[in-house]
Amino acid sequence: MQSLTIGFIGLGNMGAPMAANLAKAGHKVRGFDVAGTTAAGVEVAPDIAGAAKGADVVITMLPNGSILRQVAAQAIEHMAKGSLFIDCSTVDVESARNTSEAAEKAGVLAVDAPVSGGIGGASAGTLTFMAGGSEAAFAKAAPLFDIMGQKAVHCGDAGAGQAAKICNNMILGVTMIATCEAFALADKLGLDRQKMFDVVSTSSGYSWSMNAYCPAPGVGPNAPSDNDYKPGFAAELMLKDLGLSQQAAEMADADTPMGELARALYAQFVENEDGKGMDFSAMLPRFEKRGREG
Ligand code: NAD
């Protein structure tokens, strides 16, 4: 593929390794982060305009939707017609659609492309991208997704990538809680954890939370539970995504009682208990300590 000039804005835990992988693949990457962070092989731009001007593609990897809206407005102002804006952050569906509209008005193609795979996937170039936008925009972004990831699914129009991400993570949050509370119940019933895993992982209660990311230490494949619940995927990031799914459910008038309960439990865990900085599977030791009255 021809070498592109890429502006990369937001060089945090995820953005820095993603930008480094693009540079390693031979693209000219100009990065900018308000915190002054950099990435291997990436030239530092003085500001957003410096990263965006003359870029074939601008990629953002930012904390939330309101920051995305501000950054996108500034970047798009400096982007040429026909260039491409890709947002890889996890944000609310409204902000994704708003950003896409702003880009379209300026003749810039846009894709919302949140990821799954975490920091490990970002470093290894094995992320999964869930993309929303036009066919033309997705086709132009696809070779870059191939560098930063192992799979990209075109989910539909603007916002569809974010919709897929928050629906997936709502299922993940709910099934992780269900798996953890079932382990805590099994403990109290005197059932051996390994036997519980052997049965459930091959029965109708199986899920990614049980089979691939078992919250019980020493049981199933290696997971954050085997490393003192160091993330992994931090409980506060799960809380963020569950908040976004409830925000979307309100906007779309969807009834999501399990998603709301999962959000409330992660909020309690992160804000009032010792969940902050722990992996999201640390719900198991939380349940372990409790009885029916808390
Ligand atoms: P992070 O906080 O490490 O990185 C965000 C970066 O954006 C920071 O370095 C910050 O300084 C920078 N930033 C903030 N405002 C800016 C501005 N106005 N201009 C330029 N830079 C600015 O977060 P992260 O873990 O890299 O996550 C980034 C996004 O990816 C989030 O939306 C998160 O939900 C999503 N995500 C994270 C993971 C994960 O495991 N960390 C997994 C999937 C998705």
Side-chain angles (χ1 to χ4, degrees):
M1 147 183 216
Q2 108 203 70
S3 169
L4 298 174
T5 298
I6 301 174
F8 205 112
I9 303 170
L11 300 170
N13 290 322
M14 296 289 289
M18 290 164 73
N21 281 335
L22 291 169
K24 203 165 72 182
H27 296 296
K28 180 176 175 355
V29 185
R30 298 186 309 217
F32 173 71
D33 191 296
V34 274
T37 47
T38 57
V42 172
E43 185 190 313
V44 177
D47 50 23
I48 291 171
K53 230 177 253 171
D56 300 299
V57 182
V58 169
I59 302 178
T60 49
M61 194 51 166
L62 298 162
N64 61 49
S66 74
I67 294 177
L68 167 66
R69 287 181 194 224
Q70 288 166 30
V71 168
Q74 287 181 55
I76 289 166
E77 202 180 306
H78 297 281
M79 291 174 69
K81 281 196 173 25
S83 60
L84 173 66
F85 184 92
I86 307 175
D87 174 50
C88 295
S89 332
T90 304
V91 301
D92 56 288
V93 175
E94 286 252 276
S95 291
R97 289 186 181 150
N98 173 285
T99 299
S100 163
E101 273 165 33
E104 202 178 315
K105 274 194 197 125
V108 169
L109 296 167
V111 183
D112 54 286
V115 303
S116 84
I119 299 164
S123 300
T126 56
L127 294 168
T128 295
F129 290 85
M130 300 151 241
S134 67
E135 286 291 348
F138 180 75
K140 203 164 168 174
L144 301 178
F145 295 152
D146 285 346
I147 295 167
M148 297 182 285
Q150 60 183 356
K151 187 175 173 152
V153 179
H154 188 195
C155 301
D157 294 338
Q162 298 295 348
K165 165 91 186 173
I166 59 179
C167 288
N168 179 74
N169 281 19
M170 187 172 80
I171 295 171
L172 177 61
V174 169
T175 57
M176 180 54 82
I177 290 173
T179 305
C180 291
E181 66 182 36
F183 263 117
L185 170 62
D187 286 348
K188 293 196 175 179
L189 296 175
L191 178 61
D192 178 73
R193 284 185 170 182
Q194 183 64 50
K195 300 292 178 201
M196 164 87 172
F197 176 83
D198 291 346
V199 172
V200 175
S201 66
T202 54
S203 300
S204 45
Y206 84 90
S207 68
W208 186 87
S209 296
M210 174 61 87
N211 292 38
Y213 206 90
C214 183
V219 176
N222 196 269
S225 57
D226 299 308
N227 190 25
D228 291 328
Y229 296 97
K230 290 198 186 77
F233 185 48
E236 58 267 31
L237 287 177
M238 175 49 85
L239 175 59
K240 172 190 171 181
D241 293 358
L242 288 168
L244 291 174
S245 62
Q246 289 317 295
Q247 196 180 331
E250 267 176 41
M251 184 183 81
D253 190 26
D255 187 22
T256 53
M258 301 296 284
E260 172 49 28
L261 193 50
R263 192 205 61 75
L265 278 167
Y266 274 105
Q268 193 178 327
F269 187 45
V270 168
E271 289 158 15
N272 305 324
E273 300 169 353
D274 53 4
K276 193 159 196 286
M278 304 279 278
D279 188 73
F280 82 118
S281 62
M283 273 284 167
L284 174 53
R286 175 195 181 273
F287 280 115
E288 234 174 75
K289 288 187 222 121
R290 300 169 66 92
R292 286 189 79 74
E293 301 300 327

